[in-house]
Amino acid sequence: QEFLVVYDTGSGNMFLPDRACQSTSCMTKHTYDKLLSKAAKQVPNATSVPEEVSLAVGHGSVVGHPTLDKVCLEPEKVCASTAFVAAAEMSDVPFSLYPFDGVVGLGMPGLSRNKDYNFLGNLAEAQALEKDRFTVWLSKEVDHEDSEIAFGEIPKTRLGS
């Protein structure tokens, strides 16, 4: 399953709209279907009743169920088992206003629900990256090219720019 996500350095959590989401903001998104995944699992908790999770995201909110699945930056190339929220509800503002499906938090582990939710920490633990870092290059209008994010490296073509 492929998704268009926004990277958030102010959060360590990830969410995607679940296929069961009926919120207006979910109607134009690609939705996550755990039945299409070979690696999906319910996040273990102290009871057999699935936990409901609420996240405040910017000026919006998300409610859903914790899910554990293999999350990849590129299909089957840079992956780690990561917990995230499969959103059953997403507020219209801001999520109906943006084209992205979900959010991947790149923040420090202290900004995550727990270490299982921290995608970068999970990539580091899986030794999936050459180096445990990411870099962002922000373009200017005069550059005539898109901004860029790179994981595990600092692209030499972006040094000194």
Side-chain angles (χ1 to χ4, degrees):
Q1 302 176 64
E2 290 188 22
F3 301 94
L4 178 65
V5 296
V6 65
Y7 294 110
D8 180 4
T9 58
S11 167
N13 297 307
M14 174 179 160
F15 74 86
L16 294 169
D18 188 77
R19 73 179 179 104
C21 183
Q22 296 298 308
S23 299
T24 304
S25 58
C26 292
M27 297 298 146
T28 60
K29 313 270 185 228
H30 295 99
T31 57
Y32 172 77
D33 186 346
K34 70 179 178 183
L35 299 175
L36 297 178
S37 172
K38 295 176 187 167
K41 298 176 187 170
Q42 180 178 325
V43 174
N45 64 14
T47 69
S48 60
V49 178
E51 179 184 8
E52 186 174 271
V53 175
S54 297
L55 296 176
V57 184
H59 294 291
S61 62
V62 171
V63 177
H65 300 286
T67 302
L68 186 67
D69 206 340
K70 182 178 176 181
V71 178
C72 302
L73 292 172
E74 298 177 46
E76 302 302 317
K77 288 190 179 180
V78 179
C79 306
S81 180
T82 299
F84 62 92
V85 176
E89 300 172 30
M90 292 171 45
S91 60
D92 286 343
V93 175
F95 304 114
S96 63
L97 305 173
Y98 298 116
F100 58 81
D101 302 316
V103 171
V104 175
L106 299 179
M108 300 298 285
L111 297 173
S112 301
R113 286 180 48 80
N114 65 45
K115 74 176 194 74
D116 296 333
Y117 285 79
N118 193 271
F119 181 52
L120 284 180
N122 296 334
L123 287 173
E125 191 173 303
Q127 298 181 337
L129 300 172
E130 186 177 317
K131 293 183 179 171
D132 298 335
R133 64 185 59 154
F134 69 94
T135 57
V136 177
W137 179 74
L138 297 174
S139 67
K140 300 176 193 165
E141 193 172 325
V142 298
D143 294 326
H144 301 291
E145 54 185 317
D146 293 333
S147 296
E148 178 180 311
I149 187 166
F151 293 88
E153 65 180 352
I154 300 172
K156 294 191 184 336
T157 59
R158 298 298 183 206
L159 292 176
S161 59

